[in-house]
Amino acid sequence: MTRLKGLDLLALGFMTFALFLGAGNIIFPPSAGLAAGQHIWAAAIGFLLTGVGLPLLTVVALARVGGGMDRLTAPLGRGAGILLAVAVYLAIGPLFATPRTAVVSFEMGVAPFTGDAAGPLFGYTLAFFAATLFLVLNPGKLVSRVGKFITPVLLAALLVLGGAALFAPAGEIGVTAESYRASPLLKGFLEGYLTMDTLGALVFGIVIATAIRDRGVSDAGLITRYSVIAGAIAALGLSLVYLALFYLGATSQGIAGDAQNGVQILTTYVQHTFGTTGSLLLAVVITLACLTTAVGLTTACGEFFSQLLPVSYRVVVVVFTAFSLLVANQGLTQLISVSVPVLVGLYPLAIMLVALSLLDRFWLSSSRVFMPVMLVTLVFGVVDGLSAAGFTAWMPGLFTELPLAAQSMGWLVPVLVTLLLAVVGDRLAGTPRTAA
């Protein structure tokens, strides 16, 4: 039986860390830290639950079923599984995550010198997505070589940035914004949605399991164990990055109190601490990291939709790249504001899909539990999404009076009640026991 050695596991952990480290992981913690102020640690814990804990559990769930998202959604039936997969791929692809890579690198690398007017943004995003399309259509070994170069450089940059945030803060921890005063932990939990890492894990989880198999490991138990170890290494790295960036944001109110997003906080801090040279270096590293992330996401979407639809991979990536270009030119602040309601509606489905998959040994028939729970999650997730979009007046009074409804978590209690009823019904129905 083939087993992995310590260095192999460490390399696997760094690969997993690199898969998840993208634009959202760097820009949202400073923004949340700035707003959390004195409640920084409660907010940070909430953020870590969704930004680190959920992706780790997703990796474990995928390793257990030994496949991709289609294995997780199998109890829902093929149609429902495909619809959920399409929603996830569109979210991490042309609707939000891919355009965000271009806008983040623009605002961090170019906007400080040209301003954030529409002209420079369009020129930069056009060049960015032209490079993305070239790499996606002609990958060869270029992407892997660039990735091997970028990851160590990015890690070094983050190490310097995190060290500076801890030992050379721009000021004292600032005051808490109104939105974080009542429930900082829950607010941080919801902010963790914006990293999209749980959705990304649904796509990238199979990559980790495949990488383990490629090293000669065939035992299902070992694959799960090594996936957990790799995920734990990545989780530790991401946690350290998030905590440092949270602290950076919380101590930067004096120099970046009017910042509208995390990019502006980071660029202001780096300019304040390291000067123009530091800003240029960070801009180059972030741009390259965002470029490889865009290539990876576009490639994943191209492979998925070319298998799902009677359309070639080339056509899919060209169309998605062009669409990402259009979305990117809405600007980062606008892009984030539009993505929040969608993620508020989509994330509960991802959370329950992973939770049900991990707990599948507790019921006799997966479909009898999955289908009602996921249906109720969909209904209340959509309601919370509409509420987050500002359409509260459209909601029936019942939905607005649910526990945690004001915090966009109104789905939680109805879903837990449905889960309890579904499990009782499953036990009463008896017989079929699906293979774990």
Side-chain angles (χ1 to χ4, degrees), residues 31-39 174-182 187 253:
S31 180
L34 183 78
Q38 297 292 333
H39 292 304
V175 299
T176 303
E178 183 65 33
S179 58
Y180 275 84
R181 288 177 185 170
K187 179 65 175 174
Q253 285 192 10

Side-chain angles (χ1 to χ4, degrees), residues 103-174:
V103 186
V104 166
S105 55
F106 167 77
E107 293 216 7
M108 187 166 287
V110 179
F113 305 99
T114 66
D116 56 0
L121 175 62
F122 178 76
Y124 175 84
T125 52
L126 183 63
F128 181 93
F129 284 114
T132 299
L133 186 60
F134 173 79
L135 293 173
V136 168
L137 293 175
N138 306 278
K141 293 185 178 180
L142 182 60
V143 177
S144 61
R145 287 175 179 170
V146 171
K148 289 177 182 177
F149 168 74
I150 289 172
T151 302
V153 175
L154 183 58
L155 283 173
L158 289 172
L159 186 62
V160 171
L161 187 62
L166 293 174
F167 299 109
E172 299 293 326
I173 293 178

Side-chain angles (χ1 to χ4, degrees), residues 6 49 69 75 77 101 118 130 187 191 200 232 235 258 260 265 304 369 372 377 436:
L49 289 175
M69 191 174 172
T101 59
K187 179 65 175 174
E191 288 293 308
D258 296 328
Q260 293 184 311
I265 298 170
F304 173 77
V369 176
T377 304

Side-chain angles (χ1 to χ4, degrees), residues 85-343:
V86 167
V88 169
Y89 272 94
L90 288 177
I92 68 163
L95 290 183
F96 303 120
T98 305
R100 190 172 70 187
T101 59
V103 186
V104 166
S105 55
F106 167 77
E107 293 216 7
M108 187 166 287
V110 179
F113 305 99
T114 66
D116 56 0
L121 175 62
F122 178 76
Y124 175 84
T125 52
L126 183 63
F128 181 93
F129 284 114
T132 299
L133 186 60
F134 173 79
L135 293 173
V136 168
L137 293 175
N138 306 278
K141 293 185 178 180
L142 182 60
V143 177
S144 61
R145 287 175 179 170
V146 171
K148 289 177 182 177
F149 168 74
I150 289 172
T151 302
V153 175
L154 183 58
L155 283 173
L158 289 172
L159 186 62
V160 171
L161 187 62
L166 293 174
F167 299 109
E172 299 293 326
I173 293 178
V175 299
T176 303
E178 183 65 33
S179 58
Y180 275 84
R181 288 177 185 170
S183 306
L185 189 144
L186 188 55
K187 179 65 175 174
F189 184 92
L190 294 173
E191 288 293 308
Y193 286 5
L194 296 174
T195 65
M196 297 192 192
D197 276 351
T198 300
L199 304 184
L202 289 170
V203 177
F204 292 138
I206 191 173
V207 177
I208 301 165
T210 301
I212 296 172
R213 292 192 188 94
D214 288 344
R215 286 170 167 83
V217 180
S218 57
D219 182 76
L222 285 177
I223 291 173
T224 301
R225 184 190 306 172
Y226 293 153
S227 294
V228 172
I229 294 172
I233 293 172
L236 176 61
L238 288 172
S239 297
L240 293 175
V241 170
Y242 290 156
L243 290 173
L245 293 178
F246 253 85
Y247 188 70
L248 183 153
T251 55
S252 295
Q253 285 192 10
I255 61 171
D258 296 328
Q260 293 184 311
N261 53 61
V263 171
Q264 294 175 7
I265 298 170
L266 276 174
T267 52
T268 302
Y269 176 82
V270 171
Q271 177 68 32
H272 173 268
T273 306
F274 300 105
T276 303
T277 304
S279 298
L280 286 171
L281 264 172
L282 183 65
V284 170
V285 172
I286 295 298
T287 298
L288 292 174
C290 287
L291 180 61
T292 52
T293 301
V295 170
L297 294 175
T298 305
T299 301
C301 288
E303 291 175 350
F304 173 77
F305 284 100
S306 63
Q307 293 175 4
L308 180 65
L309 304 171
V311 182
S312 70
Y313 169 85
R314 179 176 291 268
V315 170
V316 172
V317 297
V318 168
V319 171
F320 278 19
T321 303
F323 189 83
S324 297
L325 172 64
L326 294 176
V327 175
N329 278 273
Q330 305 306 307
L332 183 60
T333 301
Q334 179 67 18
L335 185 59
I336 292 172
S337 66
V338 173
S339 69
V340 168
V342 177
L343 295 177

